[in-house]
Amino acid sequence: MRPYPFTAVVGMPDLRLALVLSAISPAIGGVLVRGEKGTAKSTMVRALAGLLPEVDVVEGCRFSCDPARPDPACPDGPHTGAAATRRPARLVELPVGAAEDRVVGSLNLERALAEGVTDYQPGLLAAAHRGLLYVDEVNLLHDHLVDTLLDAAAMGRATVEREGVSVSHAARFVLIGTMNPEEGELRPQLLDRFGLTVEVASSRDPGQRAEVIRRRLAYEADPDGFADRYAEEDAALAAEIQAAQKLLPSVALTDDALRQIAEVCASFDVDGMRADIVTARTAVAHAAWAGRTEVSTEDIRVAARLALPHRRRRNPFDAPGIDEEQLEQALRDAELPEPDDDGPGSGSEAPSEAPPEGGDGGQTPASGQQGGGEQRAGAGKPFKARLFRVAGVGEGERGRRSRAITESGRTIGVQPPSVREGKPHLVATLRSAAPHQRDRGRSGPGLVLRKGDLRYARREGNEGNLVLFCVDASGSMGARSRMREVKTAVLSLLLDAYQRRDKVGLVTFRAQGAELALPPTISVEAAAARLEALPTGGRTPLAEGLLEAARVLRVEELRDPRRRPLLVVVTDGRATSGPDAVRRSHAAAELLAGVTSVVMDCESGRMRLGLAAELAEHLGAEHVPLGEVAADALTGAVKSRLGRAA
């Protein structure tokens, strides 16, 4: 079935422009498309491949070498005097669950040891060379694949090393990713590798939505006929892209334009110099797209809107975006001396309201007393939190929290012979094969290997966990300053969970019961938003909160059995809801005694009852006063004790 035509997609001009500019200048670094589900993100990306010009490749080369400049280290080389052929540009899709060997390629270790032959089977990075590499749901990509993409994007090469055997090949591609922010954010290192970013959302205009439905139904009824109707428009757009590619080397980037780009990037306090470089490349591509031979203020304005939103974020909980008023002011401060400059008034949209700065930004205007006796308090600025680990050694998803048996990491032994996956262990393989060489008729160099000789390494690394927060939101926690401290501490632990690639959930309890405020998810941002809006007031149903946490953990054990849980109970230990509230809370705690837990003690004041410490005993949990959640507080306490001991 023919793909949906690019020009048939309704609306989304920013995404259309970003994809076209990346096609004109692959050096921009690709596009990250963020948006809710069902907004035709994948449809537009897949349609883009049909607009790209064909590429010349060395005939028979599995790595798509350019006949004019072949890779001297190509595994299929050398290509001196090789014949050339032409083929369409490729769009290679990288599945979220792909194995590392499928992405970078694989080496046949058996042939390497037995015959001395480097038998390399190329992966997806080789297929994407000089084309597009598309990752749908890129925010769900496993960390080891993210690392692989980072290396390839930075070096322009992919390298496979296995037990002393190494193969390298060129891997330059336009990286395009799509993601739904509700399912979690992207690692900052990979986020910065995307040249441009675009936010998309479905239209709220009934007429436009009706046109989307009309076209989609027409395409499903007759894909070929529908594609034919837009073939002329697609061909015209493809011709315009090729014309812009030819004009691109002739576009002048003057010193004044460079100064204006630097002024804009500096005004947004971006990290590093990649933002300046990407903005410059995008401005040049936009000038070529507009048919100009010199970069103008309008080109820089468009480039900044696409290249800076994801680079000005200060922490994972800051919303991406760009302040239009700040952008216009920066452009005016370093305005180009061009007589035909459109000036800052070319943008007709009203500037978007800037998000509030600082840690108090989450407070609502009614942050004091709310209806029904509820109170709300905003969180302060997050700090570096202590590291809490799950006891033992797991086998869960890769992450950075607890010890686990993983596919990468330090080698700690050899897998049993029945395990036939992972990375081979060279020494163990040789030991397994050595006693059988005479029986197998070995003569000359090399070993005679059988598949049964292969032994695989047992490696230890770190895993991500399920961090379930069980937060007391009752009236005893409702003092404004105290709840602010609690939210700040939990927010800091959420930031730590984000950095360690954990899954998080949020249970709250107040008044007469408990609720699952946020089902377990990798979207730490969603948990931070729920925490910020958390009201307080009423009695303290501690037992109900713990029982709800136990229920959530049971369900998650069935859904995601490899991800071990860490329970963080945030409370002052009081239980005041219902008869025998304290006894029931202790009984509920004992149901969770097998779960690695932390009790964050929020009790304050001169007269302290020690109820949270007592709860920790029943849970078998680590007891941590609220003031000791910060990593520097722990360091200070250790130094103080060492000083007294001296």
Side-chain angles (χ1 to χ4, degrees), residues 484-531:
R484 176 184 170 85
E485 290 181 49
V486 170
K487 287 189 175 182
T488 302
V490 176
L491 187 68
S492 302
L493 290 172
L494 283 172
L495 178 59
D496 182 68
Y498 168 84
Q499 294 168 339
R500 300 186 187 282
R501 309 299 288 172
D502 292 320
K503 199 173 182 179
V504 297
L506 178 62
V507 170
T508 64
F509 55 95
R510 58 180 293 271
Q512 301 300 319
E515 67 170 337
L516 179 59
L518 181 72
T521 174
I522 65 170
S523 179
V524 179
E525 296 75 17
R530 299 292 174 88
L531 175 70

Side-chain angles (χ1 to χ4, degrees), residues 218-249:
Y219 171 72
E220 292 176 355
D222 183 10
D224 292 333
F226 184 84
D228 287 340
R229 296 211 303 269
Y230 289 90
E232 187 174 340
E233 294 180 41
D234 271 9
L237 181 57
E240 292 174 5
I241 291 175
Q242 291 188 50
Q245 288 176 329
K246 293 178 181 178
L247 183 61
L248 187 69

Side-chain angles (χ1 to χ4, degrees), residues 148-337:
T148 299
L149 284 182
L150 288 176
D151 290 342
M155 306 301 296
R157 302 193 67 82
T159 301
V160 180
E161 294 185 355
R162 175 169 291 177
E163 306 294 351
V165 182
S166 178
V167 174
S168 176
H169 64 83
R172 291 182 295 274
F173 46 80
V174 177
L175 180 61
I176 301 179
T178 56
M179 60 174 284
N180 182 353
E182 294 177 356
E183 297 173 342
E185 280 294 346
L186 202 58
R187 274 178 57 185
Q189 295 94 329
L190 185 57
L191 182 66
D192 189 51
R193 292 293 181 186
F194 285 98
L196 311 178
T197 184
V198 178
E199 294 275 344
V200 297
S202 56
S203 172
R204 297 297 181 258
D205 176 45
Q208 194 172 76
R209 294 175 72 94
E211 182 61 22
V212 170
I213 298 171
R214 187 179 298 111
R215 294 189 185 186
R216 188 68 201 184
L217 294 178
Y219 171 72
E220 292 176 355
D222 183 10
D224 292 333
F226 184 84
D228 287 340
R229 296 211 303 269
Y230 289 90
E232 187 174 340
E233 294 180 41
D234 271 9
L237 181 57
E240 292 174 5
I241 291 175
Q242 291 188 50
Q245 288 176 329
K246 293 178 181 178
L247 183 61
L248 187 69
S250 303
V251 177
L253 184 63
T254 64
D255 289 342
D256 289 329
L258 282 173
R259 189 183 69 255
Q260 192 174 30
I261 290 171
E263 181 78 25
V264 169
C265 293
S267 70
F268 283 99
D269 195 24
V270 297
D271 295 328
M273 294 300 298
R274 183 174 284 115
D276 304 62
I277 295 171
V278 171
T279 302
R281 288 172 174 166
T282 307
V284 170
H286 188 266
W289 175 242
R292 292 190 292 269
T293 57
E294 186 171 315
V295 170
S296 69
T297 297
E298 177 59 24
D299 299 320
I300 297 172
R301 178 183 290 108
V302 171
R305 285 173 175 160
L306 296 174
L308 298 185
H310 59 305
R311 292 188 167 91
R312 63 178 297 272
R313 301 176 64 193
R314 305 264 50 91
N315 68 63
F317 305 131
D318 288 340
I322 193 167
D323 186 339
E324 293 282 349
E325 186 175 352
Q326 183 181 354
L327 173 60
E328 296 301 335
Q329 183 60 51
L331 290 169
R332 285 193 294 269
D333 290 344
E335 191 168 3
L336 295 182

